[in-house]
Amino acid sequence: YVLIDGNPKWPRNDLTYRIINRTPDMRPADVDEAIKQAFEVWSNVVPLTFRKIEDGAADIMMSFQFRDHGDGYPFYGPHGTLAHAFQPGPRIGGDVHFDEEETWTKNSKGYNLFIVAAHELGHSLGLAHSPDPGSLMYPNYAYRDTKEFHLPQDDINGIQAIYGQSLQPVQPTGPSTPRTCDPNLSFDAVATLRGEMLFFKGRYLWRKHPQIRETEINLISQFWPTLPAGIQAAYEDVEKDQFVLFKEDKFWVFKESNVVHGYPKRIHQLGFPKTVKRINAAFSDKNTRKTYFFVANKYWRYDENRQSMDEGYPRNIISVFGKIGKVDAAFQHDGYIYLFHGRKQTQFDPNTKQVVRVLKSTSWFGC
Amino acid sequence: APLAPEVDTMMLAEGYLRNFYGLETELHPSFKRKITDSVSEKLKKMQSFFGLKVTGKLNNETVEMMKQPRCGVPDIGE
């Protein structure tokens, strides 16, 4: 987290706010609810209270503004800058302005008002932008599931550095952004996509290009806003230029960032028996167009050309891939198959049917 | 390989750096060289903040980051 220069903060803990006007994009009650919840994000973790008033001057005035609105920071139409806020202080201090020309929603379409309002209120309370891509105070917009929103730990640490800990008996905690070179890092799913490697973990994914040294971490929702967090398996269908992702008994097919019409579907439509509740890992052999699905200690093989499961499956993983046991994630690269389990990955040669070597799961990141 | 940025990309970058990294508007043509250095320094700050490869040069990765919707509050204190 980063505090605003000079560490400005409110001198009182009981603050007022007022909603000056509302966007026509949403029902007024939904605007009020989104803003109320945005305040609660912060009041849940520090000893601040926010009371809504209908008239007069409030500490934090919230409004939807159009283009040049007299504060020296004009908006320039849809996208680009979505909103801004002023640091704690009198008059305009603490005020939040939303760009009226954006499409504001209470879901994943357009820009979610709750998420943007919660971010801006972080500024109103004294937080600057954080370089942690998982934090609420990261400057770029990324949709996240608002029904199960938990303020990330980076933001909790920041706001508590200004106002102290919550008065609740149990201190609230939030999700932390995983560290790229954490030796204990394991992955939910790994897949190739247009020459890059994608490593999934919770709400995050790492992008690694074989010819670029740096690894980039992003929120999954930045690329596929409609996907839930916690993807369990993924593979690339190179021939169709599609990307397939699995969570619990559902799977999604994406073409670039758009979900293909008709998805998500149930995994049983691929031919799995009803006893299979989720897929642990998957990879697709681009040469044979056979896709391998790992479920507990067994694996299935699916023929992408015939669009059906091959006969004679499931088989035991141990009978083909050696003593790997359960597989968390898998992908094919340069003719080898890499099978991930916990902190380790096994490099397997499908031609000699032998394990080549065992590596740390993070070996691709150059840690 | 990164492509050479087009002219409108350069304008986008200058606007972005002006808004969020305090890049000063060029007031006098003779300061051109200095301004270019300034762009490079601001780019480095921006690339460092977002965890991009710090080159001080405008590459595709940096431009893509600049095109993302975002908050209007600058990423730097000054």
Side-chain angles (χ1 to χ4, degrees), chain A residues 2 5 73 76 79-85 111 119-120 123 129-131 138-141 212 214-216 218 222, chain B residues 16 19-21 46 48-54 61 64-78:
Chain A
V2 179
D5 266 4
Y73 299 96
Y76 294 99
H79 311 298
T81 299
L82 309 178
H84 54 229
Y111 296 110
H119 172 100
E120 297 306 331
H123 294 309
H129 283 147
S130 168
Y138 191 65
N140 290 353
Y141 176 86
I212 297 174
E214 286 75 20
T215 311
E216 192 183 309
N218 295 100
Q222 204 163 328
Chain B
Y16 189 96
N19 285 338
F20 305 119
Y21 287 84
M46 183 240 168
S48 169
F49 179 89
F50 283 101
L52 306 173
K53 190 174 183 184
V54 179
E61 191 183 33
E64 282 310 307
M65 186 63 85
M66 288 176 171
K67 286 181 179 170
Q68 289 185 23
R70 55 158 291 151
C71 169
V73 173
D75 299 327
I76 49 157
E78 65 261 29

Side-chain angles (χ1 to χ4, degrees), chain A residues 176-192:
Chain A
S176 296
T177 305
R179 287 182 296 114
T180 303
C181 287
D182 181 347
N184 293 319
L185 193 58
S186 61
F187 300 110
D188 300 334
V190 182
T192 56

